[in-house]
Amino acid sequence: MRVVWFRRFSQAVFFFVFLFFCLVSSPGEQWYRLGSTLGPPKWPISWFFEADPLLAISQIFAKGDLPSGFVWALAVLAFTALLGRFFCGFVCPFGAFNQAVGFVISGLRRRVLPLKYHRLQSFKYYLLAFFLVTSFLGQAISLSRTGQDYAVGWLFFGLVLLGLLAFALQSRGSMRTNIALIIALTLLWLFLGRIVQGDEILDSSLLAGLLDPMTLAYRSFAFFVLPFLDRGFGVLYGSPYHHGAWLIGGLFLLFLFLNIVTPRFFCRFLCPLGALFGLLAHYAPLRIYKRAELCTDCQRCNAVCEGACEPVGTFRRAECLLCLNCLAKCPEKAVTYGLRPLANEAFGPTITRRGLVTSAFMGLAGVPLLRLGGLVGPDWRPYLLRPPGSQPEPDFLRLCIRCGQCIRVCPSGVLQPAGLEAGFEAIFTPVLNNRLGTSGCQTNCTLCGQVCPTGAIRKLSLDEKLGRGEFAHQGPVKIGTAFIDRGRCLPWAFDRPCIVCQENCPTSPKAIFLRSSVRKDREGRASKIDRPYVDPRYCTGCGICEHVCPIRGIAAIRVSAENETRSQHKSFWIR
Amino acid sequence: MQGQGEKEAKFGRRELWTKIAGAGLAASGLLGLTLLRFLSREETSVDEDDIYPSPPPKQPVSADAEPTQEPVISAAHALYDYSIEDAGPRLAIVEGGERVRTLRRLVEALGGMGRFVRKGDRVLVKPNVGFATPPEVGATTHPTVVRELVRLCFEAGASEVLVTDYPTTSAEHAFRVSGIARAAEDAGARVVLPDREQFRRVTLPSSRLFKDWPMLVGPLSGINRVIGVAPVKDHGLSGVTLSIKNWYGLLGGRRNLFHQRIVECLVDLATLIRPTLVILDATVSMVSNGPTGGSEKDLKRTNTMIGGLDPVAVDACGAALIGRSLQELPWLIQAEARGLGTARWEKLNPIRDRVG
């Protein structure tokens, strides 16, 4: 019994730490805030992402490199290989949340829920394979060409091969066929790598962030649950609006209510991180086992098993979430956790070679499927404005895990999670939205880059952002350029004085400047009028002008991505 | 899913009643909570319409309903009149490069803070916190001046000092980055952020613009003294931004629209509120690229502070300091014509002094 209470305590602590990190993710000097808008953040808010091996491996696959913070993930991997899925049972905040919801629901129903194993629980392994392949495609091509540049990448590629080999050893098929298949695939890869040119279509894309439980939970709480609970109080959020909130909240509610079908539905059927842990946990020396001589086959453990690993029957090692309910429930103390050599217990889910090949193929086809429409190519969306310091778009999509921390910390709320307007691939990634923000991108702030756990948004110094000091020759970092819509602008279209954009333009000298002219109105009365012009040399695309423009429907001055610093092909200006 | 084997418990009548009773209790609890919140809410607060003011109601909300103080009839029919009438000096100009000492000397020259703040007074200090820029940029009132001013108020016996403004960006962010939140709180003042509850719809009868317009007048309730403190800055549309333009921070809603009639708007602002005292901190002035600045090149050390009881005179004096003539500033001429003050500030025999 005691061990279950320890588990609950641990889950509660990690869940509230997770919520706390979500709450403190806004700039401010108080202890419960992040500190200055120039960073570095006071609290280790990225910890849950950095402890997430799925995000770590996806990054290594996609980029061949890993920020040092992710050393936590390697520790988690090591402990999982030793202890089993302790992360799922004791740490994961989304798992804890789902378990609590499942507990309440089964309590309300006052009956034992079906906690039996379901064969579709193997679906999450296919999802994992899909995500890993999508993040590996571009890297695989460049590895076969310029392998020596990516020591870490090679290391992990070796690990992939080892994993495949281990799977081949375990698989029911003939060993010889499996090994032949692996060798054939490797040769095919090396061969294709020589003749195939990688480009932005045959590229890696870190899609795992869509379903990873850490990022999923962070997005859901930061952009749906907390703003929703904060309504009527207005304590946590200056502005409650988050673009795409319906999608984030909808997914959250879906996973919440799937707990009615079976507790921890997400963990059992969908969680790609859980699948990764499952693969390792299968080989963990420490695990649950049953002392057959004591077991009376009362089935009480099976009824409370959160992962449906069925400790009484063929114990499915990979599915065991280490909830330890079985230990507490067993009247005979027949179920134990401890060191045990690998026995012939079931792996758990049946992962078929056919299923694996199918999902891997889907992964190979996935990125080209998303990119052949040209959204990362010539049909780039002009209003997809990335935060200052963002990597070029293909690199950005290799690194952005869609955690939403940059969005949460943005002091003016101008960063927003993308909905579907920039294509499926950009979903939940950070985009500037000058209608929802309380202002544009703030001049004296580099916080989005400071909190980005993966470097999709680089850590900028203020000097680099503003193009001062040693960065003077580069000029300021540009998000885009403002364009005046003369048919809508009050001075241009209606001879009305206005120039709010010029007033608020934060650069020095102002990127928006004025030219005076004397105009006659239709009655013949002459008046002097100042009209705004944009000087692209100075415009950083911060969007403050667009935000303050009195024309609110379609602003008379709008920022689009032309001239953004991160990509040459969007510029129109010769320096 | 695999629920075929489950036994559904029988749903008895007793259980039904228990459930209905439970649901009823929960619902009434929720209702009670909502009611409590509703009752405790101030009834005049404006809601979402802040952003998009709706057409005026049939019976315009009178802002005089605010029981702030005894209405003082002045020539200008100000809605919010905190001015004092006495024979003391009305304008002072002190040169000095060090803000604390210059400010103290300025207030002394005007007869000491005791002239403006009596024991037990509740004072509102309105700095310019327009932007989220650090003090070095000079786009906001320098925090040192705010801190010292608040201290002076408390030394004169003020019971409470509030500091408020409605910035062009997130208020919390602007107050923090500008250093004004910390400075004000250091000195013991309370920072009032412009939450929705702080806005009321206000109609200024003499104005064409301020009709049923949301304004940041919540912080004025219970206040007897109002002190405006602004930097001296260049401004594209109105030429300069000084103490009168500083009241733009009281405007809520889509105040950007007023840029179409900026002269009228500034004159109306001078009419709307008559402060007890206004101070211009021109230790460093923004002479170009205003009102946001952004570079040291936009700033000039002018080593002066101007204070007075007549905002029109103070602003005219501040404009002269950075070399702007009255002809460039029609709003000052019109304000004088309306009887809101004197733009020919030399006439007031300003007290001049120098520190250090």
Side-chain angles (χ1 to χ4, degrees):
Chain A
M1 210 57 197
R2 225 177 285 151
V3 73
V4 175
W5 278 106
F6 176 69
R7 188 208 73 223
R8 283 177 193 150
F9 175 73
S10 165
Q11 282 180 306
V13 167
F14 279 108
F15 180 73
F16 284 111
V17 168
F18 175 80
L19 267 193
F20 178 74
F21 284 167
C22 188
L23 288 177
V24 301
S25 297
S26 60
E29 274 148 23
Q30 300 92 329
W31 65 269
Y32 55 87
R33 293 285 173 83
L34 270 196
S36 134
T37 40
L38 298 172
K42 266 193 308 204
W43 293 94
I45 50 170
S46 298
W47 186 80
F48 282 94
F49 308 117
E50 289 171 345
D52 183 329
L54 175 63
L55 299 178
I57 292 178
S58 302
Q59 278 178 78
I60 290 169
F61 278 12
K63 191 73 182 167
D65 200 1
L66 193 64
S68 56
F70 280 85
V71 68
W72 287 103
L74 300 182
V76 168
L77 272 185
F79 275 104
T80 306
L82 188 69
L83 303 172
R85 293 170 67 174
F86 77 101
F87 194 88
C88 305
F90 286 76
V91 181
C92 180
F94 197 49
F97 176 77
N98 279 324
Q99 190 164 348
V101 171
F103 178 78
V104 170
I105 288 170
S106 52
L108 286 178
R109 288 180 161 185
R110 285 196 218 128
R111 65 190 172 93
V112 178
L113 287 159
L115 293 170
K116 288 195 190 112
Y117 177 72
H118 192 285
R119 67 188 167 82
L120 282 181
Q121 282 183 230
S122 54
F123 182 68
K124 59 178 176 286
Y125 297 92
Y126 299 135
L127 265 180
L128 174 70
F130 171 80
F131 284 136
L132 290 184
V133 172
T134 52
S135 58
F136 197 48
L137 175 58
Q139 181 74 358
I141 292 170
S142 52
L143 265 184
S144 72
R145 293 173 160 265
T146 56
Q148 64 276 17
D149 296 347
Y150 302 103
V152 193
W154 273 113
L155 188 80
F156 266 80
F157 182 67
L159 282 182
V160 178
L161 281 183
L162 270 181
L164 283 173
L165 215 66
F167 173 71
L169 292 171
Q170 283 301 126
S171 165
R172 269 177 297 174
S174 130
M175 172 86 70
R176 207 178 290 168
T177 326
N178 284 330
I179 291 176
L181 190 70
I182 286 171
I183 291 171
L185 281 174
T186 313
L187 288 176
L188 184 69
W189 163 63
L190 286 171
F191 173 69
L192 283 179
R194 293 284 145 198
I195 58 164
V196 171
Q197 287 276 4
D199 56 8
E200 91 274 351
I201 296 164
L202 287 177
D203 204 350
S204 302
S205 182
L206 207 161
L207 292 172
L210 288 172
L211 271 187
D212 178 87
M214 298 305 126
T215 57
L216 180 77
Y218 191 89
R219 282 196 307 266
S220 305
F221 280 94
F223 308 139
F224 173 67
V225 181
L226 294 177
F228 172 60
L229 294 178
D230 190 43
R231 272 305 74 198
F233 302 99
V235 189
L236 305 175
Y237 288 81
S239 161
Y241 304 114
H242 293 98
H243 188 77
W246 69 273
L247 206 50
I248 293 167
L251 274 179
F252 173 77
L253 290 178
L254 175 72
F255 295 138
L256 174 75
F257 286 116
L258 280 174
N259 284 311
I260 296 175
V261 178
T262 184
R264 294 194 75 156
F265 182 98
F266 178 83
C267 313
R268 291 188 198 193
F269 293 91
L270 295 169
C271 182
L273 177 63
L276 181 67
F277 286 140
L279 292 178
L280 277 174
H282 177 61
Y283 302 101
L286 284 162
R287 62 180 188 279
I288 299 282
Y289 65 95
K290 174 183 81 168
R291 279 177 290 193
E293 68 276 13
L294 296 177
C295 179
T296 57
D297 210 22
C298 68
Q299 300 279 344
R300 282 184 191 153
C301 51
N302 277 5
V304 292
C305 177
E306 290 283 338
C309 53
E310 299 185 339
V312 77
T314 38
F315 174 58
R316 294 180 170 83
R317 295 194 296 256
E319 296 302 289
C320 175
L321 298 173
L322 279 190
C323 69
L324 303 180
N325 281 341
C326 49
L327 253 68
K329 267 283 180 272
C330 183
E332 318 295 339
K333 304 263 178 291
V335 186
T336 329
Y337 176 77
L339 200 62
R340 191 140 196 252
L342 290 176
N344 54 354
E345 295 140 341
F347 168 73
T350 36
I351 310 175
T352 59
R353 193 162 63 206
R354 189 174 297 163
L356 207 60
V357 168
T358 310
S359 53
F361 178 76
M362 293 294 287
L364 283 178
V367 181
L369 179 76
L370 294 171
R371 301 243 172 127
L372 278 168
L375 285 175
V376 185
D379 194 19
W380 48 275
R381 303 280 101 173
Y383 295 110
L384 186 76
L385 302 169
R386 295 292 189 198
S390 293
Q391 305 278 357
E393 191 65 11
D395 285 340
F396 188 86
L397 292 170
R398 283 170 171 226
L399 285 177
C400 178
I401 54 173
R402 301 151 215 260
C403 63
Q405 283 197 127
C406 50
I407 296 160
R408 173 80 181 96
V409 298
C410 180
S412 63
V414 70
L415 268 187
Q416 293 285 333
L420 288 163
E421 69 279 354
F424 181 83
E425 208 185 352
I427 200 166
F428 306 147
T429 56
V431 185
L432 274 84
N433 182 323
N434 287 313
R435 287 172 71 88
L436 283 181
T438 59
S439 182
C441 176
Q442 298 294 292
T443 313
N444 290 280
C445 174
T446 58
L447 207 47
C448 48
Q450 301 287 340
V451 299
C452 180
T454 67
I457 311 171
R458 284 191 300 118
K459 287 181 176 53
L460 295 179
S461 67
L462 195 60
D463 277 353
E464 184 175 1
K465 184 182 178 192
L466 303 182
R468 303 185 307 204
E470 56 176 312
F471 298 96
H473 64 285
Q474 290 180 4
V477 171
K478 297 174 186 222
I479 301 166
T481 306
F483 292 83
I484 293 169
D485 190 339
R486 293 189 178 179
R488 298 186 146 260
C489 174
L490 292 176
W492 279 106
F494 313 114
D495 286 341
R496 280 242 164 191
C498 176
I499 63 168
V500 188
C501 51
Q502 187 266 356
E503 176 186 354
N504 283 274
C505 179
T507 64
S508 176
K510 283 181 186 290
I512 301 173
F513 64 99
L514 305 173
R515 283 180 183 145
S516 286
S517 59
V518 176
R519 307 290 301 177
K520 274 188 185 168
D521 65 13
R522 58 192 298 198
E523 281 80 30
R525 284 183 300 251
S527 58
K528 186 173 133 302
I529 187 99
D530 288 333
R531 287 170 163 173
Y533 290 78
V534 174
D535 186 340
R537 288 178 299 167
Y538 301 114
C539 181
T540 61
C542 71
I544 290 176
C545 51
E546 183 176 341
H547 176 78
V548 296
C549 180
I551 311 286
R552 290 307 297 156
I554 303 170
I557 184 163
R558 297 186 297 278
V559 177
S560 51
E562 284 90 349
N563 270 5
E564 58 172 13
T565 302
R566 65 189 187 124
S567 57
Q568 281 296 307
H569 68 277
K570 293 182 193 169
S571 81
F572 63 88
W573 194 258
I574 303 169
R575 282 208 207 182
Chain B
M1 296 192 63
Q2 307 172 326
Q4 313 98 305
E6 300 309 319
K7 266 184 258 166
E8 197 73 56
K10 253 195 164 179
F11 196 62
R13 189 180 297 167
R14 176 178 300 219
E15 203 169 344
L16 178 72
W17 283 118
T18 333
K19 281 203 173 159
I20 288 176
L25 266 176
S28 55
L30 268 176
L31 218 95
L33 270 176
T34 329
L35 213 67
L36 262 178
R37 266 197 71 75
F38 182 74
L39 288 178
S40 61
R41 184 171 279 188
E42 280 192 69
E43 44 192 309
T44 40
S45 75
V46 280
D47 43 9
E48 277 96 75
D49 293 354
D50 263 5
I51 306 161
Y52 303 105
S54 51
K58 277 168 197 148
Q59 290 182 319
V61 182
S62 162
D64 298 280
E66 284 287 302
T68 51
Q69 64 166 98
E70 295 295 314
V72 182
I73 307 299
S74 80
H77 306 292
L79 272 188
Y80 300 99
D81 191 345
Y82 301 92
S83 60
I84 52 170
E85 301 290 336
D86 61 15
R90 296 186 64 77
L91 183 65
I93 305 159
V94 175
E95 286 178 48
E98 205 274 309
R99 287 192 173 86
V100 173
R101 288 172 61 205
T102 318
L103 178 67
R104 288 201 166 255
R105 188 67 201 90
L106 180 77
V107 172
E108 234 170 78
L110 285 167
M113 198 48 116
R115 183 181 167 204
F116 308 104
V117 176
R118 292 156 310 181
K119 204 166 164 40
D121 271 353
R122 299 182 73 243
V123 186
L124 178 80
V125 171
K126 162 68 176 74
N128 180 336
V129 199
F131 306 98
T133 50
E136 309 84 77
V137 173
T140 49
T141 303
H142 201 281
T144 311
V145 181
V146 177
R147 183 187 292 119
E148 204 54 30
L149 191 61
V150 172
R151 280 190 187 140
L152 281 166
C153 292
F154 279 122
E155 283 168 22
S159 64
E160 192 179 14
V161 180
L162 305 184
V163 175
T164 198
D165 195 9
Y166 183 32
T168 57
T169 177
S170 146
E172 197 257 330
H173 180 52
F175 266 91
R176 177 164 35 77
V177 174
S178 65
I180 289 176
R182 172 171 275 186
E185 278 158 10
D186 275 358
R190 186 159 66 87
V191 172
V192 183
L193 293 181
D195 303 327
R196 280 193 171 150
E197 296 81 57
Q198 301 294 346
F199 288 86
R200 312 270 188 284
R201 289 183 177 276
V202 171
T203 298
L204 179 69
S206 65
S207 163
R208 283 197 297 170
L209 304 175
F210 302 163
K211 296 245 177 285
D212 196 41
W213 197 268
M215 292 199 194
L216 178 61
V217 293
L220 285 173
S221 68
I223 291 289
N224 335 73
R225 297 290 180 233
V226 171
I227 302 177
V229 53
V232 173
K233 297 194 291 176
D234 165 63
H235 193 274
L237 194 59
S238 55
V240 279
T241 162
L242 301 158
S243 80
I244 292 175
K245 180 77 167 53
N246 188 25
W247 302 118
Y248 215 81
L250 293 185
L251 299 175
R254 296 186 50 210
R255 55 183 174 181
N256 289 348
L257 295 175
F258 294 143
H259 274 55
Q260 294 170 50
R261 297 184 196 278
I262 194 71
V263 173
E264 207 176 320
C265 177
L266 288 174
V267 175
D268 284 350
L269 280 174
T271 316
L272 177 79
I273 182 162
R274 293 177 60 78
T276 319
L277 169 69
V278 288
I279 291 166
L280 289 180
D281 170 24
T283 311
V284 172
S285 300
M286 185 181 288
V287 290
S288 62
N289 212 47
T292 51
S295 159
E296 280 178 19
K297 282 177 257 169
D298 304 323
L299 303 176
K300 186 183 163 194
R301 279 203 85 87
T302 41
N303 290 335
T304 308
M305 275 198 203
I306 303 162
L309 284 69
D310 175 348
V312 179
V314 167
D315 280 11
C317 180
L321 185 75
I322 55 169
R324 306 294 163 95
S325 70
L326 269 185
Q327 283 68 49
E328 292 173 66
L329 310 168
W331 47 276
L332 272 177
I333 298 169
Q334 287 197 22
E336 187 182 48
R338 271 230 214 158
L340 297 167
T342 170
R344 281 148 301 165
W345 51 279
E346 297 94 336
K347 277 189 166 180
L348 295 178
N349 298 322
I351 297 173
R352 288 179 183 274
D353 204 344
R354 174 191 292 270
V355 181

